[in-house]
């Protein structure tokens, strides 16, 4: 196995000099640094990053904790792509840890990344609540930014979108377009995003004098298959809805399949709206109207906030991100539309 001493001998310097160069010590001359890096390349030496992190208490890595319940689907694909790409642009390495299926396992995954001496952590929680996350942030030796969760007691450590507001705006738009009988496919129970989107739906109905009806809401689990089953349930209940809102695009696409199988035309019989505006939304037929959540901008802000903290800069709390309804072919005027 190639060692640091082999690199030192190849470069004609001491082992301590090699260590200083690899640690980024600016007091080593450029000529010497170039010789050391050339020797590293020629010998194929790979430094023990964990040992270096332990010795210097510095790290070029950023940890990402995501629970595997979020892995399946295009939303996570974009999340991971954006995070990895932007981490690379900062010259850092991304380390992924799986939060699995519970708050305890999410906490263990965070502790795992801290044990690896990651310089900072991005946490995309599913099970940990706001109080638990705030406690972890307050006691962690490294900076942590939480994505997609509002933390009132740690507002400088979270980047999130206002799910309830943009859900309200989307449903309110449907009502303005003449829809009053609006069914809703919610996300999985216990998900903060799902709860906020359902709250926005209820708020829009109430603001327009429309009663909330429990049978008009079916819970899903974010997948197209759940969209199929939810739409089937709504149809079997004999509900005459002119619009259907699904809490993400995957479920909306599944619902579209079931509506078509039942002889319902989109948008002539049922207008359909999803959330997240995944790439596929504009390619399905008819193209899916969807609330666009600025995921790339959120991740960009998250990385900047985290790296600034890692470098000791003062960071202000970011403002919540807003969603935007993208109207496509799946949305038409409703039966109560009264004119322009």
């Amino acid at each position: 196995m190639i060692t640091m001493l082999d690199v030192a001998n190849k470069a004609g310097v001491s082992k301590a000099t090699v260590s200083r160069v690899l640690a980024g010590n600016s007091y080593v001359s450029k000529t010497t640094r170039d010789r050391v890096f050339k020797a590293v390349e020629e010998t194929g030496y790979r430094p023990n990053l964990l040992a270096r992190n332990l010795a210097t208490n510095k790290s070029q890595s950023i940890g990402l904790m995501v629970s595997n319940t979020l892995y399946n689907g295009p939303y996570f694909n974009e999340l991971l792509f954006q995070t990895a790409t932007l981490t690379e642009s900062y010259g850092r390495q991304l380390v992924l840890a799986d939060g699995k299926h519970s708050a305890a396992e999410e906490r263990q995954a965070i502790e795992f990344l801290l044990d690896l001496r990651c310089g900072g952590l991005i946490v995309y929680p599913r099970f940990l609540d706001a109080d638990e996350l705030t406690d972890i942030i307050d006691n962690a030796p490294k900076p942590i930014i939480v994505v997609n969760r509002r933390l009132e007691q740690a507002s400088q450590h979270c980047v999130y979108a206002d799910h309830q507001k943009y859900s309200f705006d989307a449903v309110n738009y449907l009502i303005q377009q003449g829809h009053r009988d609006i069914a809703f496919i919610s996300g999985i129970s216990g998900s903060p995003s799902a709860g906020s989107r359902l709250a926005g739906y209820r708020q829009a109905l109430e603001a327009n004098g429309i009663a909330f009806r429990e049978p008009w809401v079916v819970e899903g689990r974010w997948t197209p298959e759940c969209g199929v089953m939810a739409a089937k349930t709504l149809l079997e209940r004999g509900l005459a809805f002119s619009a259907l809102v699904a809490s993400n695009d995957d479920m909306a696409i599944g619902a579209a399949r079931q509506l078509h199988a039942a002889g319902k035309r989109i948008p002539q019989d049922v207008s359909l709206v999803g959330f997240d505006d995944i790439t596929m939304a504009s390619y399905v037929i008819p193209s899916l109207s969807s609330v666009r959540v600025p995921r790339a901008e959120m991740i960009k802000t998250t990385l900047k906030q985290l790296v600034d903290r890692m470098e000791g800069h003062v960071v202000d709390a970011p403002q919540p991100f807003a969603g935007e309804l993208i109207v496509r072919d799946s949305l038409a005027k409703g039966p109560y539309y009264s004119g322009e």
Side-chain angles (χ1 to χ4, degrees):
M1 183 179 70
I2 303 299
T3 67
M4 189 179 293
L5 181 59
D6 296 321
V7 175
N9 291 335
K10 184 75 173 181
V13 298
S14 68
K15 182 178 176 180
T17 297
V18 173
S19 179
R20 285 196 294 271
V21 169
L22 296 180
N25 193 312
S26 60
Y27 293 102
V28 180
S29 70
K30 183 179 184 305
T31 301
T32 300
R33 289 201 307 272
D34 289 345
R35 281 163 51 197
V36 169
F37 286 132
K38 182 179 180 182
V40 168
E41 183 178 355
E42 291 178 349
T43 60
Y45 174 65
R46 294 293 179 267
N48 187 325
L49 296 179
L50 179 57
R52 185 196 302 174
N53 293 345
L54 288 168
T56 64
N57 200 32
K58 294 181 179 179
S59 172
Q60 295 301 306
S61 61
I62 289 175
L64 171 63
M65 191 291 292
V66 184
S67 294
N68 64 28
T69 54
L70 300 172
Y71 288 2
N72 185 22
Y75 182 90
F76 175 75
N77 292 343
E78 182 174 351
L79 169 73
L80 186 57
F81 172 77
Q82 295 289 349
T83 306
T85 301
L86 289 168
T87 300
E88 183 181 6
S89 73
Y90 280 103
R92 314 271 176 162
Q93 181 62 255
L94 185 66
V95 181
L96 176 64
D98 180 10
K100 297 186 173 63
H101 313 289
S102 68
E105 289 170 315
E106 285 187 336
R107 185 182 286 269
Q108 289 170 4
I110 292 170
E111 292 172 351
F112 170 77
L113 292 171
L114 291 172
D115 288 343
L116 288 180
R117 295 299 195 272
C118 290
L121 271 61
I122 299 170
V123 173
Y124 197 110
R126 164 68 178 85
F127 301 102
L128 287 166
D129 63 29
D131 290 339
E132 291 171 314
L133 290 165
T134 300
D135 177 68
I136 290 171
I137 290 168
D138 289 342
N139 292 285
K142 298 295 182 180
I144 295 176
I145 302 293
V146 175
V147 182
N148 202 39
R149 186 74 62 84
R150 181 181 181 184
L151 305 177
E152 293 187 3
Q153 303 303 316
S155 60
Q156 293 180 322
H157 294 266
C158 62
V159 175
Y160 66 97
D162 193 337
H163 299 291
Q164 181 168 337
K165 182 180 185 306
Y166 65 63
S167 178
F168 170 89
D169 290 343
V171 177
N172 191 58
Y173 179 84
L174 283 170
I175 295 170
Q176 291 172 356
Q177 296 301 302
H179 296 280
R180 295 183 64 83
D181 298 315
I182 305 170
F184 193 85
I185 303 174
S186 70
I188 187 171
S189 177
S191 163
S193 298
S196 294
R197 290 173 180 176
L198 178 58
Y201 163 74
R202 297 187 65 154
Q203 181 185 11
L205 295 180
E206 180 181 350
N208 288 276
I210 302 172
F212 172 77
R213 295 164 286 186
E214 195 72 42
W216 292 63
V217 177
V218 178
E219 180 180 317
R221 301 178 66 87
W222 305 118
T223 67
E225 293 83 1
C226 288
V228 170
M229 296 306 299
K232 183 178 181 181
T233 297
L234 290 167
L235 291 169
E236 288 176 345
R237 289 174 181 173
L239 305 177
F241 50 90
S242 67
L244 174 60
V245 179
S247 288
N248 75 345
D249 290 342
D250 278 4
M251 291 194 296
I253 291 170
R257 179 183 179 88
Q258 184 59 35
L259 290 171
H260 176 75
K264 300 290 185 180
R265 299 168 300 166
I266 302 172
Q268 294 91 335
D269 300 320
V270 178
S271 286
L272 183 63
V273 175
F275 286 91
D276 297 335
D277 193 33
I278 63 175
T279 301
M280 189 59 65
S282 62
Y283 287 93
V284 295
I285 300 175
S287 57
L288 177 65
S289 300
S290 180
V291 177
R292 177 176 294 164
V293 183
R295 294 182 294 278
E297 290 81 0
M298 289 176 64
I299 295 300
K300 183 177 180 180
T301 297
T302 299
L303 263 296
K304 187 177 188 310
Q305 292 265 320
L306 184 62
V307 172
D308 282 350
R309 287 183 176 278
M310 290 167 63
E311 295 178 351
H313 301 311
V314 176
V315 178
D316 294 327
Q319 294 298 311
F321 283 82
E324 175 189 7
L325 176 61
I326 307 301
V327 177
R328 298 194 179 95
D329 296 339
S330 69
L331 200 159
K333 299 289 192 297
Y336 297 95
Y337 186 70
S338 58
E340 298 296 336

